[in-house]
Amino acid sequence: EAKEEEPSTVEVMGLTKADKSEQGKDSKSRVTTRTYIWALCAAVNSCCLGYDIGVTTTTSDLIQNHFDLSDMELEIYVGTLNFMAILGALMSHIVVDKLGRRKAFVISSITFIIGISLEAASQSY
């Protein structure tokens, strides 16, 4: 009785991943599918931050007029996003080390959504 041979790759969401027997043979030059997926998630997160910075900068005159902000208040408003991004980047390794990459991405996304929601719902400075 002949055994049916298992395929050497598994397809997940249109991407293939080599089976475990092939992993590690040439680990220095091999990038796994999981690495591409996490890199894509990080890139999308960065794009969201860049988009938000662009929108904030572009609409700053409208925001200043609508909320009757002084130049100093507007500078604080626009600069706060960049300052918090710096703090997040400096503190991210602590979250990743304690909770792992997946939970760090979830926390990052939730924090981003809460911040944007508060910004959109604000009625004054």
Side-chain angles (χ1 to χ4, degrees):
E1 187 175 301
K3 270 189 168 181
E4 188 174 314
E5 209 172 292
E6 291 184 26
S8 62
T9 59
V10 178
E11 188 171 330
V12 179
M13 295 188 313
L15 304 171
T16 58
K17 179 180 177 184
D19 67 2
K20 291 183 180 182
S21 65
E22 292 181 14
Q23 287 182 355
K25 287 182 180 177
D26 190 14
S27 62
K28 291 181 183 179
S29 65
R30 184 178 175 88
V31 178
T32 65
T33 302
R34 181 174 275 170
T35 303
Y36 284 118
I37 291 171
W38 286 115
L40 178 66
C41 290
V44 169
N45 198 15
S46 297
C47 288
C48 288
L49 177 62
Y51 179 79
D52 192 44
I53 290 171
V55 168
T56 302
T57 303
T58 304
T59 61
S60 61
D61 289 338
L62 296 172
I63 291 169
Q64 185 176 22
N65 293 336
H66 181 75
F67 291 113
D68 196 29
L69 301 178
S70 68
D71 288 340
M72 177 68 96
E73 290 171 331
L74 182 64
E75 290 171 8
I76 291 170
Y77 167 71
V78 173
T80 299
L81 180 62
N82 294 322
F83 180 71
M84 292 300 167
I86 291 169
L87 283 181
L90 291 173
M91 302 300 288
S92 64
H93 72 282
I94 295 170
V95 176
V96 171
D97 287 346
K98 289 188 179 200
L99 303 176
R101 287 186 316 249
R102 292 178 189 178
K103 288 182 182 176
F105 274 120
V106 170
I107 289 170
S108 171
S109 298
I110 290 171
T111 304
F112 195 80
I113 290 168
I114 290 171
I116 295 300
S117 299
L118 290 172
E119 184 178 351
S122 67
Q123 298 296 317
S124 67
Y125 179 72

